[in-house]
């Protein structure tokens, strides 16, 4: 257990909310809160990752500023999430990167993109500004790209896996072979549907203003499914390359291209919409120290998609070398920042929603048994 300024503030906020319970219908945070009398750091980490920062409780709270209690649940949870991301990070010393996240990601992107531009220019020399028969593979070979991103991807997967396991154990979940899978599926469904971005009333978040809106939920969905379609594009291209000896570039009606174009559009519109909403949103419920982390992640997703689409259009021109270098630099920055940026929130939130689905079901079973016990 740890005790910090952020856990102390979150515990104070939850204690007052647990006495009030006016917001119990808003989201899973308050339903899970009501099952507890005390709030230690592990419990608060769980509640913080259940919070979707929709803002509904803040705008409906009678104790929000300027009241003397100064209750701000979304901000307290957002601040605590940033802290516990660092606590569960692997290696442990890398958890410090969650502080000033936007700054180091910006610096990393400049360095990596510059290295790709300079490295590619040196390796190709006079051919850097030339069209190539094999499009981008004429600039950097498939084997070099596979080795480079395979090595980085291996480290990223390991870092993510270790941090996820650490959070899993903190939540006291059993091994994957002993899980209550109907409850697991309910948690997955709630995560994929972004159930708790409806503000508790089906009208949406109080975001970017106090008026409920579904815009944030829609842009989140576009971002997530855009990312998954881009992943499907890469996966299908890998199958075609190694399974059927059909290397890139592919035609526009091929699976990698169709997945990539649709995913690229979603991953352009989604992050752009979220960035616009974030710029217009009330600053109070968002927290003070985590803004750079959110923005840098959305910008990286947007640039990954935008440069990928641009590369597709210039692949047969003399600009393929420049655009490939920029695109690879952005993608590499995204890869390197995944275990130490906003990307991890998806895994922690999924685990928290699974825990909530399990304990909610267990609570219903206990409540259902009580009358029989009294009757007996």
């Amino acid at each position: 257990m740890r005790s910090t300024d952020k856990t102390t503030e979150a515990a104070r906020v939850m204690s007052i909310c647990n006495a009030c319970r006016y917001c119990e219908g808003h989201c899973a945070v308050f339903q899970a809160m009501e099952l507890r009398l005390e709030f230690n750091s592990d419990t608060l980490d769980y509640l913080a990752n259940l919070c979707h920062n929709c803002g509904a409780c803040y705008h409906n709270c009678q104790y929000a500023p300027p009241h003397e209690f100064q209750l701000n649940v979304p901000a307290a949870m957002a601040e605590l999430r940033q802290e516990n991301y660092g606590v569960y990070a692997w290696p442990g010393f890398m958890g410090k990167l969650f502080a000033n996240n936007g700054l180091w990601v910006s610096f990393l992107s400049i360095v990596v993109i510059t290295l790709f531009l300079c490295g590619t220019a040196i390796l190709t020399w006079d051919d850097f500004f030339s069209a190539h028969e094999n499009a981008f593979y004429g600039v950097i070979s498939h084997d070099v790209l596979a080795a480079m991103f395979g090595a980085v991807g291996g480290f990223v997967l390991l870092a993510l896996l270790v941090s996820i396991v650490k959070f899993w154990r903190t939540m006291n979940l059993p091994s994957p072979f002993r899980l209550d899978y109907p409850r697991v599926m309910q948690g997955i469904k709630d995560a994929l549907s972004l159930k708790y971005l409806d503000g508790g009333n089906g009208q949406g978040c109080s975001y970017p203003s106090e008026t409920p809106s579904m815009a944030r939920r829609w842009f989140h969905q576009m971002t997530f499914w855009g990312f998954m379609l881009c992943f499907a594009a890469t996966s299908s291209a890998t199958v075609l390359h190694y399974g059927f000896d059909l290397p890139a570039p592919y035609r526009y009606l091929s699976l990698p291209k169709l997945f990539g174009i649709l995913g690229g559009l979603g991953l352009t519109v989604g992050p752009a919409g979220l960035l616009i909403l974030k710029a217009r949103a009330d600053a109070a419920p968002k927290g003070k120290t985590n803004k750079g982390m959110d923005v840098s992640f959305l910008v990286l997703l947007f640039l990954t998609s935008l440069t990928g689409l641009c590369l597709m259009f210039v692949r047969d021109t003399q600009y393929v070398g420049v655009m490939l270098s920029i695109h690879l630099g952005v993608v590499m920055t995204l890869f390197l920042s995944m275990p130490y940026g906003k990307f991890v929130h998806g895994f922690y939130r999924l685990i928290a929603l699974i825990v909530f689905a399990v304990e909610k079901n267990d609570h219903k079973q206990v409540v259902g048994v009580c009358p029989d016990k009294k009757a007996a």
Side-chain angles (χ1 to χ4, degrees), residues 139-201:
V139 181
I140 303 178
S141 70
H142 172 272
D143 291 342
V144 171
L145 289 175
M148 189 187 316
F149 282 89
V152 173
F155 170 77
V156 169
L157 287 175
L158 177 61
L160 286 172
L161 180 61
V162 174
S163 65
I164 290 168
V165 169
K166 289 168 69 176
F167 185 71
W168 182 282
R169 290 176 175 173
T170 301
M171 296 298 102
N172 293 318
L173 282 169
S175 72
F177 302 104
R178 297 171 54 196
L179 287 172
D180 182 354
Y181 278 97
R183 304 284 76 76
V184 171
M185 294 308 298
Q186 181 61 51
I188 294 174
K189 178 183 176 182
D190 291 345
L192 293 179
S193 64
L194 297 174
K195 176 180 178 180
Y196 296 106
L197 282 182
D198 69 352
N201 55 15

Side-chain angles (χ1 to χ4, degrees), residues 23-32 50-52 54 57 196 199-200 356:
C23 297
E24 62 182 355
H26 281 312
C27 71
V29 173
F30 299 99
Q31 297 172 45
L50 273 181
C51 175
H52 289 55
C54 76
C57 60
Y196 296 106
F356 176 67

Side-chain angles (χ1 to χ4, degrees), residues 62-237:
Q62 57 190 323
Y63 301 123
H67 191 278
E68 61 180 329
F69 286 174
Q70 295 287 303
L71 281 198
N72 191 335
V73 176
M77 296 293 104
E79 294 283 335
L80 187 56
R81 276 195 301 277
Q82 184 185 30
E83 179 179 278
N84 65 52
Y85 293 162
V87 169
Y88 299 111
W90 183 88
F93 68 89
M94 297 290 278
K96 296 179 181 179
L97 295 176
F98 284 98
N100 298 316
N101 191 266
L103 180 63
W104 85 262
V105 170
S106 300
F107 176 76
L108 179 67
S109 63
I110 294 172
V111 172
V112 174
I113 292 172
T114 301
L115 287 175
F116 267 102
L117 281 168
C118 294
T120 305
I122 292 172
L123 290 174
T124 57
W125 204 243
D126 292 337
D127 291 332
F128 186 60
F129 289 103
S130 300
H132 298 270
E133 183 179 351
N134 294 329
F136 39 83
Y137 284 161
V139 181
I140 303 178
S141 70
H142 172 272
D143 291 342
V144 171
L145 289 175
M148 189 187 316
F149 282 89
V152 173
F155 170 77
V156 169
L157 287 175
L158 177 61
L160 286 172
L161 180 61
V162 174
S163 65
I164 290 168
V165 169
K166 289 168 69 176
F167 185 71
W168 182 282
R169 290 176 175 173
T170 301
M171 296 298 102
N172 293 318
L173 282 169
S175 72
F177 302 104
R178 297 171 54 196
L179 287 172
D180 182 354
Y181 278 97
R183 304 284 76 76
V184 171
M185 294 308 298
Q186 181 61 51
I188 294 174
K189 178 183 176 182
D190 291 345
L192 293 179
S193 64
L194 297 174
K195 176 180 178 180
Y196 296 106
L197 282 182
D198 69 352
N201 55 15
Q203 297 178 351
C205 296
S206 298
Y207 191 97
S209 65
E210 186 175 349
T211 304
S213 169
M214 295 294 284
R216 185 165 175 239
R217 188 178 188 180
W218 294 335
F219 285 131
H220 261 92
Q221 291 284 20
M222 294 183 73
T223 301
F224 173 77
W225 291 111
F227 182 87
M228 295 306 296
L229 283 170
C230 288
F231 179 76
T234 302
S235 301
S236 60

